[in-house]
Amino acid sequence: MTSTDQTRNLPLPQPRPRRETPAGDLLLARVQELNYRSARAMEGHVVGPHGQNLTVGEAQARAELIDRLIELEQLRGSQRHRRVGKLTRLLTLLTVTVVDLPIMLWLASSVFNVDWSDPLGLPLAISVVISVLATGGAATALHHLGHNQRQHKNAKRQLDWAKLSAGSKLSLATVGLLVGLMGVVMFLRVYTEGVLSGMNDLAVLMAVLVALVMVISATLVFWTAFRDGSLEQDDLRHYSECVRPFLAAKRAYEDEAHELSCQYDLLRRQAGRGDSGAE
């Protein structure tokens, strides 16, 4: 066997692997780190609407399930999950602030004999504090009661009285008592002021008008809270708010990893052209 035959049987020389540049190593390490953080982002822990300890993935799955259930009920014609419009909420707030509060201030100032020719003093301060507390307390109580009764709302956004428990009926009776008491107090005070002012013919009419305005305002606060969404929507909103920061972080990791991967590929191509030119 000749030396030529021995050489022919030897394996062909393989090209040497191209060494990565330090910049490429750093980019690759950073991409791997970002991919790891992106994969772990959904493993964080959040607190559910009822105090549950959930992972982000579990919270997202529950949010998607609730969203599908709400969408299915809406496709069937249910209006139970509809939110109250911003205009209605603004109208309710303006009613409490612009109508209820001045009337309550007038009532309190009459009780504490505020001299409007020289109003500054302790009686006016007491009247302002009492009117703010009374108006805010009544509005808060009515809003809270209406918000809690949403579980008894039917598909037409109406109160299903037949399915109410004894506690719910007691709560609604409290609402009616509170609204009626506000109307009676206003009627009596305005009627008394009208009689003392010598307007006997208009006293009853003015008292009924003011009392009716207070009753309508109070009822508006309750029904606005009652018709505003559902318990399922509250849970969905809570889950969404918990998951949103983690999804944003996951998306940021993925975007940065993609950008660095493009830079890494470009660097490798440039290095490959440099090696070809050197050969």
Side-chain angles (χ1 to χ4, degrees):
M1 180 181 295
T2 63
S3 59
T4 304
D5 295 334
Q6 293 177 351
T7 304
R8 186 182 299 113
N9 294 329
L10 292 176
L12 296 175
Q14 299 293 326
R16 295 169 55 188
R18 184 170 63 252
R19 294 177 58 85
E20 299 290 349
T21 62
D25 292 339
L26 292 175
L27 286 176
L28 185 59
R30 179 59 178 168
V31 169
Q32 293 174 349
E33 178 188 1
L34 291 172
N35 289 332
Y36 173 79
R37 291 188 177 184
S38 175
R40 293 295 303 272
M42 303 303 290
E43 298 178 6
H45 287 79
V46 297
V47 179
H50 308 290
Q52 315 99 306
N53 188 22
L54 306 169
T55 64
V56 178
E58 291 172 343
Q60 186 181 21
R62 295 193 181 194
E64 292 174 351
L65 176 61
I66 295 175
D67 183 53
R68 288 195 294 269
L69 292 176
I70 292 176
E71 184 177 0
L72 179 61
E73 288 191 15
Q74 289 177 339
L75 290 175
R76 292 175 177 174
S78 175
Q79 300 179 0
R80 192 169 63 89
H81 304 287
R82 290 182 60 183
R83 298 292 309 276
V84 172
K86 293 182 179 180
L87 183 60
T88 303
R89 291 197 293 268
L90 179 61
L91 178 61
T92 304
L93 180 61
L94 288 177
T95 301
V96 173
T97 306
V98 179
V99 178
D100 290 4
L101 184 59
I103 293 178
M104 190 64 68
L105 179 59
W106 170 79
L107 174 63
S109 64
S110 300
V111 173
F112 291 99
N113 298 319
V114 176
D115 184 7
W116 289 106
S117 62
D118 186 17
L120 298 180
L122 183 60
L124 179 61
I126 296 176
S127 300
V128 171
V129 172
I130 290 179
S131 60
V132 170
L133 291 178
T135 304
T140 302
L142 290 170
H143 184 275
H144 179 72
L145 291 171
H147 193 268
N148 287 343
Q149 294 299 324
R150 293 178 305 160
Q151 58 183 322
H152 303 296
K153 183 168 48 176
N154 57 26
K156 296 181 179 180
R157 303 174 77 189
Q158 298 173 351
L159 188 64
D160 197 347
W161 182 264
K163 296 182 180 179
L164 292 181
S165 62
S168 298
K169 292 180 179 179
L170 181 61
S171 297
L172 291 176
T174 303
V175 172
L177 179 62
L178 179 60
V179 173
L181 183 62
M182 292 173 61
V184 170
V185 169
M186 282 299 168
F187 175 84
L188 293 177
R189 189 57 190 174
V190 174
Y191 177 76
T192 302
E193 288 292 330
V195 171
L196 292 177
S197 301
M199 297 184 298
N200 297 333
D201 297 336
L202 296 178
V204 176
L205 180 61
M206 292 182 60
V208 170
L209 178 61
V210 174
L212 185 61
V213 169
M214 293 298 295
V215 169
I216 292 176
S217 175
T219 306
L220 180 62
V221 173
F222 175 83
W223 282 106
T224 299
F226 174 76
R227 292 168 65 86
D228 190 20
S230 61
L231 299 180
E232 293 84 356
Q233 273 203 343
D234 291 346
D235 291 348
L236 177 59
R237 191 178 306 110
H238 181 89
Y239 285 128
S240 300
E241 291 176 355
C242 290
V243 170
R244 188 178 297 113
F246 293 91
L247 292 179
K250 178 179 173 64
R251 181 62 181 270
Y253 292 146
E254 292 174 348
D255 291 343
E256 186 177 356
H258 177 72
E259 181 179 352
L260 294 181
S261 297
C262 294
Q263 295 180 13
Y264 176 75
D265 293 338
L266 179 61
L267 190 63
R268 290 192 60 182
R269 289 195 296 268
Q270 291 176 349
R273 287 196 296 268
D275 293 343
S276 301
E279 294 176 359

